[in-house]
């Protein structure tokens, strides 16, 4: 159970709020912290709202960093946050390659 | 800079010396080595400038995961240069944003 | 915990209803069964804001949304919902397609929607990336698209700012009547919440929850699959579909393409966690490249699947339930709820506040199947 | 009809190849897919000698282990497909793979997921500048592609990866200006730290990066000391001119594929992240899908190989290629080997615990934990450090780690570890050292020296392991460095031995004034000596 209206510590600007956290989508620490205060309490919601981890690297670089920031903001342990779901394709694949998946197209 | 001889690994197997261009400048590298290595050995550090903040990026993970090293290769943007083998005559360009477009409007 | 209105389901319908109620000073509690807001079809759709191809019974809702809400929604929600009203092209390449598209266009035109048939060349003038394979298309210039993720999270964010209370991971299993009216909501964790009105907007799950007060909505759970590509430079802004319905989608403001897929096997997906199939993305890529050869080199970065609540007659139930006073149903959206969600949120709030609804809902009553 | 294998292995690293080998030995039809152009996973970047015992392939360099595994797999008919990207695992154990320019669909009666780990990162102003790289990137550039990552490097992270890569950077010809770590203690093996420190690399514990400087690429880095709340203490800033900042701040299991396959997952800090829950055979909650190696919990490559073998054995039993009894028997043997590796101060169960004494009751070197080297006043208390007339081994092995090749290396049985693999080596005073140097070359931690404390002419001779180029020659004059890497005295090379059996570890013997016999631990050519 996750009460989305529970009291968080007030949002206080931090000196490193403009630091890039998601390298692909260029999302900053401040944007992530802001989003938490706007109710994005899970990694999935942060992704949906800010696009962190949705870039070309598919979240391989920043997922753990985002998790750290969100958990600190919420005052919970990182492993309480749960993961972002694993989805195919595991690596970016060109449409023309995906399209060739029948024996006869080889 | 290339390592000429390594105390444990000795010398490295290399492909044929080939020429390619980086932003129009002729450079040389070894066929089959990642494009990023050829560039690094030629002293190229900046592979692209990001879309939002126009910040420089280069090699970061070197194994095809982080996608920071993407460039425009033969007109195709977003090519991961750290895992794409170098070929004779390749045209490599600095990538600006997510497209093949170059500053001044000259695409591809 | 009590509230004037309890909303079961934190998808875009529930969030939009919560927003409209909170804006009117009504106390609202939203219970979402999963861990995440917008976990069902709300964030797993192609983002179409279409009139063309829509069942006439839904048209008033979408037309109201397009006329009164979508253009202002980004400001209303303090969130860029990326709404683009740049038209909808539904593409065809065979005489059979021409027939299907003409039928859809005629039906829409008869209901006052500007949908016309155009030739392949006309289509290519609108979208120069289309291949020569396209021989005909229906064209609705007033259609468009928006970003489902941003719209859903935007409604949630703003509803929450306005005071709506949200709890996730709280799965509703039962509704209870008190002295003849639906008042209590019981969750799997054993909590009981009480409200004057209950809006049931929990997708397919609504069927099981409604049955606890003796109401059935004939629905089926059908898989929805979507793929997303890497971002590229802007190419075109129209919403796209095909006569075969093998893919639909658009390019987002961010530059990535979002395409809904259709392998034909969706109704037969196994129940449980929605799983992407191993063939749908490939089939869709073939279809997309047939019409858009320039997309061949673009990389797919993600696919995902979700459930939609397919109603027996393919349009939703948005209705008060007079025989269970206090209960309001909003389910069975059949995969095209996103475009109408702003108006649905509004009318649900009006139903809950016992006001006249902005749009006539009589064709969407729950008892139409009897 | 879809092609079907008895086992599909995702990832041709140590775990995946070991599982494939074991399964193929039992008669299974196995395919291994790996996204890289070269198989072996990280093994091919690991040019140091491995720890452990014989059964763990101790004292063999990682890339040679990779070559051995590949050869064994090939001999057993395992199909290893490279440049093959597994796109996803779908119901009914269907796997889609990008091969060349198309996608294939295959099914496995069992699947082993051995996708390894990905590197963690830290943020600081400038961390996106070209020149800030992962430690893995540095290894890939140097050891696979013969490319120097930079000229002057700062390493962030004092775990084994940070230490090993720092050493590799120096082997490749880079200057490592410092090893920094926000933790208050060196995280990796003390012996790895010591071999870096004695080359003159300063360690800054409780330090983190304040910023990377530069416009278009890194030109410098500023670090500073952190307090208990990880805040920079003003006035502790230190600047280094560097062109490269290397990040080695841990690994996380790369387990997305397990999640997609429907395996029950857990976020387990003891396993360094999000991992599939597995039984003692590595089987996930989905029957027939196994996970082995870093993907199911970060450990060493040696453990990954054994986990892979166990999964291979279990899969064979599942499909009836071997009996349950054989499976139990063989798995038990492997379990015992795995247990052997999971002992000592760095065992997975010890994570986060503060250790003050060795198993033998010897007080731990605090200097080693804080500065990367054992202080002179600390070294004498360890059992490997003794004094006798003539040449004798001095074993500066001060932490309980599972490793014992030195015991077998000595033909005269001078070195004793015993049956407890983590015990500190001790010297048998009854046995006579001949100075053959096999122990020096065998020590994966480069912690063994041969010392003749008094050659009779006021000098002493110190033999040390040397893995750098150019290799000094007999008669070269230079300086001796102490454990901290400070010049302590003049030194002359009197002997350089290279032998096939030493496997690229050269034995350099230098002559120093005898009062430096227990201080001088590294040699540097120096014009100004």
């Amino acid at each position: 159970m996750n009460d989305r209206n529970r009291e968080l510590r007030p949002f206080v600007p931090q000196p490193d709020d403009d630091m890039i956290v998601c390298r692909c989508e260029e999302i900053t620490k401040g944007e992530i912290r802001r989003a938490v205060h706007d109710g994005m309490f899970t990694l999935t919601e942060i992704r949906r709202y800010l696009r962190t981890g949705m870039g070309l690297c598919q979240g391989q670089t920043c997922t753990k960093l985002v998790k750290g920031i969100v958990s600190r903001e919420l005052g919970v342990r990182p492993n309480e946050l749960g993961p972002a779901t694993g989805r195919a394709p595991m690596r970016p694949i060109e449409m023309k390659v995906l399209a060739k998946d029948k024996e006869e197209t080889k | 800079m290339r390592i000429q001889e390594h105390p444990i690994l000795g010398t490295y197997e290399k492909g044929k010396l080939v020429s390619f261009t980086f932003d129009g400048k002729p450079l040389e590298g070894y066929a089959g080595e990642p494009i990023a290595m050829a560039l690094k050995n030629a002293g190229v550090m900046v592979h692209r400038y990001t879309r939002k903040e126009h910040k420089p990026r280069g090699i970061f993970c070197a194994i095809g995961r982080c996608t920071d090293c993407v460039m425009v290769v033969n007109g195709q943007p977003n090519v991961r240069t750290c895992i794409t083998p170098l070929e004779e005559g390749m045209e490599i360009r600095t990538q600006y944003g997510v497209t093949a477009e170059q500053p001044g409007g000259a695409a591809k | 915990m009590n509230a004037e209105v309890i909303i079961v389901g934190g998808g875009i319908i529930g969030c939009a209803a919560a927003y409209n109620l909170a804006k009117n000073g009504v106390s609202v509690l939203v219970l979402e069964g999963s861990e995440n807001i917008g976990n069902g079809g709300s964030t797993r759709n192609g983002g179409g804001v279409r009139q063309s191809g829509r069942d006439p019974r839904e048209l008033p809702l979408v037309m109201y949304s397009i006329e009164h809400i979508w253009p202002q929604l980004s400001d209303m929600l303090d969130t860029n919902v990326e709404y683009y009203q740049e038209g909808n092209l539904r593409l065809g390449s065979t005489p059979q397609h021409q027939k299907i598209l003409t039928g859809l266009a005629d039906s829409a035109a008869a209901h006052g929607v500007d949908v016309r048939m155009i030739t392949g060349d006309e289509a290519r003038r609108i979208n120069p990336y289309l291949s020569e394979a396209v021989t005909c298309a229906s064209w609705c210039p007033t259609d468009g698209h928006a970003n489902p993720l941003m719209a859903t999270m935007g409604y949630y964010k703003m509803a929450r700012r306005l005071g709506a209370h949200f709890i996730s991971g709280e799965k509703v299993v039962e509704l209870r009547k008190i002295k003849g009216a639906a008042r209590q909501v019981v969750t799997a964790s054993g909590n009981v919440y009480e409200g004057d009105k209950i809006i049931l907007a929990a997708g397919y799950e609504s069927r099981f929850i409604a049955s606890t007060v003796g109401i059935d909505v004939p629905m089926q759970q059908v898989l929805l699959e979507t793929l997303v590509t890497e971002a590229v430079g802007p190419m075109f802004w129209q919403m796209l579909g095909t006569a075969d319905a093998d893919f639909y989608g658009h390019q987002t403001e961010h530059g990535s393409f979002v395409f809904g897929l259709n392998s034909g096997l969706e109704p037969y997906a196994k129940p449980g966690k929605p799983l992407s199939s191993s063939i749908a993305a490939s089939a869709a890529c073939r279809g997309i490249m047939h019409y858009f050869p320039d997309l061949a080199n673009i990389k797919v970065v993600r696919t995902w699947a979700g459930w939609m609540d397919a109603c027996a007659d393919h349009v939703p139930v948005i209705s008060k339930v007079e025989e269970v006073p206090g209960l309001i149903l909003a389910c069975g959206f059949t995969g095209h709820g996103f475009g109408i969600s702003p108006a649905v949120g509004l009318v649900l709030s009006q139903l809950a506040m016992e006001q006249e609804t902005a749009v006539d809902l009589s064709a969407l009553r729950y008892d139409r199947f009897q | 009809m879809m092609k079907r294998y008895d086992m599909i292995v995702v990832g041709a690293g140590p775990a995946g190849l070991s599982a494939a080998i074991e399964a193929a030995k039992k008669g299974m039809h196995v395919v291994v897919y790996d996204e890289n152009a070269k198989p072996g996973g990280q093994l091919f970047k690991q040019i140091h000698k491995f720890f452990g015992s014989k059964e763990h392939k101790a004292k063999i360099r990682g890339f040679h282990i990779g070559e051995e595994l590949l050869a064994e797999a090939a001999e057993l008919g395992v199909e290893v497909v490279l440049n093959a990207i597994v796109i996803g695992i779908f119901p009914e154990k269907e796997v889609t793979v990008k091969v060349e320019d198309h996608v294939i669909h295959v099914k496995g009666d069992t699947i082993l997921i051995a996708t390894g780990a990905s590197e963690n990162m830290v943020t600081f102003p400038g961390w996106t500048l070209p020149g800030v790289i992962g430690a893995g990137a540095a290894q890939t550039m140097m050891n696979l592609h013969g490319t120097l990552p930079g000229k002057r490097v700062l390493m962030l992270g004092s775990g084994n990866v940070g230490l090993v890569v720092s050493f590799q950077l120096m082997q490749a010809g880079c200057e490592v200006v410092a090893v920094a770590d926000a933790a208050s203690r060196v995280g990796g093996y003390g012996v790895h730290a010591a071999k870096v420190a004695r080359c003159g690399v300063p360690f800054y514990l409780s330090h983190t990066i304040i910023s990377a400087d530069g416009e278009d690429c890194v030109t410098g880095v500023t670090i500073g000391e952190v307090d208990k709340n990880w805040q920079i203490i003003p006035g502790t800033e230190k600047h280094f001119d560097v062109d490269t900042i290397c990040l080695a701040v841990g690994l996380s299991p790369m387990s997305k594929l397990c999640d997609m396959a429907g395996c029950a997952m857990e976020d387990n800090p003891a396993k360094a992240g999000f991992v599939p829950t597995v039984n003692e055979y590595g089987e996930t909650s989905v029957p027939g899908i196994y996970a082995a190696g870093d993907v199911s919990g970060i450990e060493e490559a040696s453990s990954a190989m054994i986990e892979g073998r166990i999964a291979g054995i279990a899969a064979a039993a599942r499909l009836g290629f071997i009996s349950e009894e054989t499976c139990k028997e063989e798995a038990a043997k492997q379990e015992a080997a795995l247990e052997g590796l999971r002992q000592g101060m760095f065992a997975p169960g010890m994570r986060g615990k503060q250790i003050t004494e060795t198993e033998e009751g010897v007080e731990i070197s605090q200097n080693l934990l804080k500065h990367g080297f054992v202080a002179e006043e600390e070294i004498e208390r360890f059992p490997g450090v003794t004094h006798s007339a003539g040449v004798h081994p001095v074993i500066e092995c001060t932490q309980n780690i599972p490793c014992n090749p030195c015991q077998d290396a000595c033909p005269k049985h001078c070195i004793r570890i015993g049956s407890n693999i983590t015990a500190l080596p001790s010297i048998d005073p009854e046995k006579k050292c001949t100075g053959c140097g096999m122990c020096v070359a065998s020590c994966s931690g480069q912690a063994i020296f041969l010392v003749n404390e008094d050659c009779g002419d006021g000098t002493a001779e110190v033999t040390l392991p040397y893995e750098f180029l150019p290799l000094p020659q007999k008669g070269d004059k230079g300086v001796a460095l102490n454990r901290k890497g400070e010049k302590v005295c003049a030194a002359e090379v009197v002997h350089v031995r290279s032998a096939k059996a030493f496997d690229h570890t050269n034995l350099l013997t230098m002559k120093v004034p005898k009062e430096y016999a227990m201080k001088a631990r590294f040699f540097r050519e120096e014009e100004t000596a």
Side-chain angles (χ1 to χ4, degrees):
Chain A
M1 245 189 80
N2 200 346
D3 185 340
R4 303 311 184 94
N5 296 61
R6 67 176 189 265
E7 201 74 31
L8 300 183
R9 277 173 302 179
F11 180 89
V12 183
Q14 291 177 0
D16 58 352
D17 272 344
D18 60 352
M19 184 153 59
I20 294 290
V21 174
C22 171
R23 296 168 72 101
C24 298
E25 297 294 327
E26 298 178 85
I27 311 293
T28 64
K29 183 181 175 183
E31 289 174 282
I32 296 166
R33 294 178 56 242
R34 231 319 113 224
V36 173
H37 286 267
D38 268 329
M40 312 305 155
F41 279 19
T42 69
L43 286 191
T44 302
E45 288 167 6
I46 294 274
R47 291 178 81 155
R48 288 175 182 161
Y49 182 64
L50 289 179
R51 300 195 51 85
T52 51
M54 303 250 270
L56 197 52
C57 98
Q58 303 163 301
Q60 298 191 71
T61 317
C62 71
T63 300
K64 207 161 185 165
L65 297 169
V66 175
K67 208 172 183 174
I69 294 167
V70 174
S71 63
R72 272 195 298 280
E73 217 54 39
L74 288 173
V76 301
R77 286 201 310 274
N79 60 347
E80 289 171 42
L81 273 184
T85 312
R87 305 186 190 285
M90 290 292 136
R91 299 282 182 264
I93 308 282
E94 291 90 346
M95 277 205 187
K96 65 180 176 193
V97 174
L98 264 185
K100 278 172 104 175
D101 80 325
K102 303 238 182 203
E103 284 300 312
E104 59 271 19
T105 61
K106 266 193 206 174
Chain B
M1 228 168 51
R2 295 198 187 269
I3 302 167
Q4 297 308 322
E5 195 188 353
H6 190 281
I8 309 299
L9 299 165
T11 52
Y12 297 83
E13 254 181 62
K14 294 187 188 98
K16 194 176 122 231
L17 194 66
V18 296
S19 39
F20 66 99
T21 62
F22 165 68
D23 287 345
K25 289 189 293 285
L27 291 177
E28 285 188 327
Y30 294 101
E33 72 176 336
I35 293 168
M37 293 305 127
L39 290 172
K40 171 88 187 164
N41 284 307
V44 175
M45 293 295 286
V46 179
H47 287 218
R48 67 181 180 108
Y49 290 91
T50 61
R51 175 160 61 165
K52 275 195 206 167
E53 302 198 351
H54 314 291
K55 289 286 162 55
R57 296 285 174 86
I59 298 171
F60 186 55
C61 82
I63 51 171
R65 301 232 176 101
C66 76
T67 67
D68 251 346
C69 68
V70 298
M71 300 178 85
V72 182
V73 177
N74 294 338
Q76 189 64 41
N78 292 330
V79 175
R80 289 173 291 172
T81 55
C82 72
I83 53 163
T84 304
L86 181 70
E87 292 168 17
E88 169 81 50
M90 269 183 166
E91 286 178 26
I92 320 287
R93 287 193 172 275
T94 305
Q95 183 170 317
Y96 299 85
V98 295
T99 70
E101 271 169 50
Q102 299 289 308
K108 299 193 178 183
Chain C
M1 197 186 295
N2 298 342
E4 286 170 81
V5 179
I6 296 179
I7 298 175
V8 182
I12 192 163
I13 300 296
C15 290
Y19 162 79
N20 283 286
L21 286 164
K23 207 169 71 172
N24 281 289
V26 178
S27 71
V28 192
L29 171 65
V30 183
L31 302 173
E32 164 58 37
S34 79
E35 295 307 317
N36 301 302
I37 298 297
N39 226 24
S42 308
T43 54
R44 299 164 206 256
N45 67 76
V49 179
R50 288 180 296 102
Q51 303 151 94
S52 56
R54 204 175 277 277
D55 189 288
R57 289 168 290 176
E58 277 184 28
L59 275 176
L61 283 167
V62 74
M63 291 166 94
Y64 187 92
S65 299
I66 289 173
E67 195 169 335
H68 299 288
I69 310 179
W70 277 115
Q72 285 85 45
L73 196 57
S74 291
D75 288 339
M76 283 164 59
L77 302 182
D78 186 22
T79 304
N80 181 6
V81 301
E82 300 172 18
Y83 174 60
Y84 285 80
Q85 192 177 14
E86 300 281 339
N88 183 21
L89 278 172
R90 193 175 289 253
L91 309 167
S93 56
T94 66
Q96 179 62 19
H97 291 160
Q98 171 101 31
K99 217 168 122 191
I100 296 169
L101 295 175
T102 307
L104 287 171
D106 290 351
S107 149
H111 288 89
V113 182
D114 178 11
V115 183
R116 49 197 116 124
M117 285 305 292
I118 56 174
T119 65
D121 286 340
E122 285 171 317
R124 277 180 287 278
R125 274 197 290 278
I126 293 168
N127 185 325
Y129 294 93
L130 282 174
S131 72
E132 290 297 322
V134 176
T135 56
C136 60
S138 70
W139 169 239
C140 175
T142 52
D143 277 356
H145 55 76
N147 185 326
L149 305 153
M150 296 311 287
T152 305
M153 300 324 277
Y155 265 123
Y156 161 62
K157 175 176 87 177
M158 197 45 89
R160 190 173 161 276
R161 274 194 204 165
L162 291 168
H165 199 127
F166 286 79
I167 301 175
S168 60
E170 186 70 317
K171 190 176 155 60
V172 173
V173 292
E174 187 188 350
L175 303 182
R176 276 191 201 146
K177 285 166 88 171
I178 305 289
K179 294 182 182 160
R183 285 196 62 84
Q184 287 185 341
V185 171
V186 185
T187 67
S189 54
N191 292 325
V192 179
Y193 302 90
E194 193 161 336
D196 301 331
K197 294 280 177 348
I198 299 169
I199 297 176
L200 187 51
Y204 181 64
E205 286 294 310
S206 306
R207 184 170 198 182
F208 302 97
I209 299 168
S211 80
T212 63
V213 286
I215 297 293
D216 185 42
V217 179
M219 285 190 280
Q220 193 179 9
Q221 185 170 254
V222 176
L223 196 72
L224 269 176
E225 291 195 66
T226 311
L227 71 77
V228 176
T229 72
E230 64 182 319
V232 295
M235 290 169 72
F236 50 83
W237 298 112
Q238 302 89 34
M239 181 71 195
L240 304 165
T242 67
D244 279 341
D246 52 344
F247 72 88
Y248 52 92
H250 68 275
Q251 184 177 21
T252 67
E253 194 173 290
H254 163 262
S256 54
F257 286 88
V258 181
F259 285 114
L261 323 178
N262 197 342
S263 69
L265 298 176
E266 284 79 5
Y268 311 101
K270 289 178 189 154
K273 187 181 168 191
L275 299 174
S276 295
S277 89
S278 67
I279 54 168
S282 290
C285 287
R286 286 191 288 275
I288 294 164
M289 283 163 55
H290 182 55
Y291 288 148
F292 293 97
D294 283 5
L295 299 190
N297 285 315
I298 292 181
K299 298 177 212 67
V300 174
V301 295
R302 199 160 46 250
T303 60
W304 72 98
W307 295 120
M308 68 171 176
D309 40 350
C311 202
D313 60 358
H314 307 294
V315 293
V317 169
I318 303 171
S319 170
K320 267 190 189 181
V321 181
E322 286 82 358
E323 61 194 278
V324 185
L327 178 63
I328 297 162
L329 292 174
C331 55
F333 285 89
T334 320
H336 31 79
F338 175 68
I340 59 175
S341 59
V344 174
L346 175 68
V347 297
L348 285 173
S349 73
Q350 290 164 336
L351 288 175
M353 293 185 292
E354 310 270 5
Q355 295 172 353
E356 197 185 332
T357 56
V359 173
D360 175 26
L361 299 171
S362 51
L364 304 173
R365 282 187 56 83
Y366 76 100
D367 51 5
R368 66 179 188 262
F369 307 101
Q370 289 164 2
Chain D
M1 197 179 68
M2 205 177 285
K3 189 153 189 181
R4 196 179 270 256
Y5 293 90
D6 294 323
M7 185 183 229
I8 295 174
V9 177
V10 187
L17 286 177
S18 300
I21 287 167
E22 213 55 50
K25 270 188 199 165
K26 315 293 188 222
M28 287 166 70
H29 184 204
V30 185
V31 66
V32 184
Y33 296 111
D34 195 292
E35 62 176 318
N36 298 295
K38 290 180 183 174
Q42 303 311 301
L43 281 174
F44 279 91
K45 301 168 196 171
Q46 301 191 343
I47 58 170
H48 61 284
K49 294 177 179 176
F50 272 40
F51 291 80
S53 66
K54 258 189 240 159
E55 60 192 329
H56 308 123
K57 302 192 184 283
K59 81 172 183 181
I60 302 179
R61 295 186 192 273
F63 68 103
H64 285 140
I65 297 176
E67 285 163 0
E68 281 179 21
L69 289 177
L70 268 183
E72 200 177 350
E75 206 168 295
L76 289 161
V78 173
E79 206 180 315
V80 179
V81 188
L82 300 174
N83 294 311
I85 298 172
V86 168
I87 295 171
I89 297 181
F90 297 88
E92 279 70 60
K93 298 195 184 69
E94 178 181 346
V95 180
T96 58
V97 193
K98 177 195 168 187
V99 182
E100 293 161 13
D101 68 341
H102 60 274
V103 173
I104 56 168
H105 296 252
V106 290
K107 277 189 179 173
D109 284 332
T110 60
I111 296 176
L112 174 81
I113 301 174
T115 43
S118 60
E119 292 185 277
N120 296 341
M121 291 299 160
V122 289
T123 55
F124 45 83
W127 80 293
T128 58
L129 276 177
V132 178
I133 57 172
Q139 279 190 308
T140 305
M141 290 161 88
M142 296 184 287
N143 301 339
L144 289 186
H145 304 302
T147 297
L148 271 192
K151 289 187 182 118
R152 287 168 58 84
V153 187
L154 177 112
M155 175 65 69
L156 183 72
S158 70
N160 276 337
V161 174
L163 299 173
V164 165
V165 174
S166 292
F167 193 73
Q168 289 178 5
L169 283 163
M170 291 189 283
Q171 288 180 304
C174 307
E175 185 185 345
V176 178
V177 301
V179 173
D181 198 318
S184 60
R185 296 159 154 241
V186 170
Y189 288 178
V191 287
H192 279 319
K195 72 185 187 193
V196 173
R198 76 171 82 106
C199 295
V201 178
F203 279 61
Y204 292 96
L205 277 297
S206 300
H207 275 68
T208 194
I209 296 178
I210 298 172
S211 67
D213 312 323
E215 278 302 311
D216 256 5
C217 57
V218 172
T219 56
V221 61
T222 307
I223 64 170
E225 192 174 343
V226 291
D227 63 19
K228 276 185 193 132
N229 302 316
W230 308 100
Q231 299 301 308
I232 302 287
I233 303 169
T236 62
E237 297 85 358
K238 294 156 194 81
H239 180 87
F240 299 91
D241 289 329
V242 295
D243 56 14
T244 304
I245 297 168
C246 205
L247 306 179
V249 291
L251 300 171
S252 292
M254 202 158 61
S255 57
K256 267 171 43 174
L257 195 57
C258 304
D259 186 39
M260 187 193 171
C263 307
M265 306 292 288
E266 56 173 339
D267 201 332
N268 187 339
K271 295 183 169 182
F274 189 54
V275 292
T277 46
V278 293
N279 67 12
E280 70 267 38
Y281 297 118
E283 191 169 13
T284 67
S285 66
V286 181
I289 298 188
Y290 300 79
D294 278 351
V295 72
S296 58
I298 302 297
E299 279 186 74
E300 300 293 323
S302 326
S303 329
M305 288 188 276
I306 303 176
E307 285 179 13
R309 288 188 189 278
I310 293 172
I313 292 164
R318 180 182 174 80
L319 298 186
F321 284 85
I322 56 171
S323 68
E324 280 299 321
E325 294 75 60
T326 314
C327 168
K328 277 194 181 131
E329 216 170 278
E330 292 196 13
K333 258 186 242 166
Q334 298 291 340
E335 282 288 349
L338 192 55
E339 273 315 297
L341 280 176
R342 288 177 175 164
Q343 303 298 316
M345 295 176 178
F346 296 87
M350 300 299 280
R351 272 189 192 132
K353 290 187 187 158
Q354 297 248 329
I355 299 161
T356 53
E357 313 194 315
T358 70
E359 290 164 10
E360 293 81 358
V362 184
E363 198 193 325
I364 291 287
S365 161
Q366 291 301 320
N367 210 67
L368 181 62
L369 296 176
K370 293 204 170 80
H371 304 291
F373 62 94
V374 182
E376 270 164 40
E377 60 276 15
E378 295 172 321
I379 196 71
E380 296 288 339
R381 62 179 183 245
F382 294 96
V385 181
T386 59
H387 303 278
S388 59
V391 63
H392 62 92
V394 172
I395 307 183
E396 304 195 349
C397 180
T398 68
Q399 294 173 325
N400 302 109
I401 53 178
C403 186
N404 67 6
C406 56
Q407 172 171 256
D408 299 328
C410 181
K412 298 290 177 189
H413 310 292
C414 295
I415 303 172
R416 239 183 2 217
I417 286 178
S419 56
N420 177 12
I421 186 175
T422 60
L424 296 183
S426 58
I427 309 294
D428 186 340
E430 303 299 313
K431 306 279 169 45
K432 182 65 195 139
C433 171
T434 62
C436 73
M438 287 306 291
C439 57
V440 179
S442 79
C443 178
S444 308
Q446 302 196 8
I448 305 185
F449 304 85
L450 293 178
V451 181
N452 186 343
E453 296 178 40
D454 187 354
C455 299
D457 56 355
T459 67
E461 284 183 3
V462 178
T463 301
L464 53 98
Y466 196 90
E467 292 188 351
F468 299 95
L469 288 178
L471 187 60
Q473 300 298 306
K474 183 177 171 175
D476 286 1
K477 291 192 170 61
V479 290
L481 308 185
N482 64 8
R483 295 181 186 87
K484 190 183 178 182
E486 296 166 328
K487 294 175 208 173
V488 289
C489 61
E492 180 183 343
V493 178
V494 293
H495 206 30
V496 178
R497 284 181 280 173
S498 308
K500 196 153 186 246
F502 297 164
D503 186 13
H504 294 84
T505 307
N506 306 287
L507 270 46
L508 183 150
T509 306
M510 62 181 177
K511 198 173 256 308
V512 294
K514 74 173 188 182
E515 56 271 33
Y516 294 104
M518 288 305 287
K519 294 186 166 84
R521 287 296 176 265
F522 195 64
F523 174 80
R524 179 167 291 161
E525 307 256 16
E526 192 136 304
E527 323 74 55
T528 57

